[in-house]
Amino acid sequence: MAKNRILSMIFISTIATIIVGCEKTPDIASPKCADLDKITNPVQKAELLKTCPRSGAAFKRSDKKIW
């Protein structure tokens, strides 16, 4: 009886955690950063490039690490 109760509590808590985690949607970093590709003014674009963490579609390879 105690074993069934423990298993059911684990099952219920797991389902509750999954349901709560699924309701959250990721936020856009900044509406300005989302419109970075549409900006044609080079001064505004340079300012946004400094503040937006990941801008542009270009892939930048990181330095090779030697462990």
Side-chain angles (χ1 to χ4, degrees):
M1 182 88 161
K3 185 178 179 180
N4 287 341
R5 182 175 283 175
I6 291 172
L7 289 175
S8 64
M9 290 300 289
I10 291 171
F11 179 72
I12 291 170
S13 63
T14 303
I15 296 298
T17 304
I18 291 171
I19 290 172
V20 170
C22 290
E23 292 179 7
K24 296 179 182 177
T25 57
D27 297 331
I28 295 174
S30 172
K32 293 178 184 177
C33 291
D35 295 335
L36 184 62
D37 295 333
K38 298 176 186 175
I39 295 175
T40 57
N41 187 348
V43 175
Q44 287 179 339
K45 195 165 193 166
E47 289 177 8
L48 282 177
L49 285 172
K50 293 177 187 175
T51 58
C52 295
R54 293 184 180 185
S55 57
F59 176 75
K60 297 176 185 174
R61 185 175 295 274
S62 61
D63 296 333
K64 189 172 184 177
K65 299 194 186 246
I66 300 173
W67 299 93

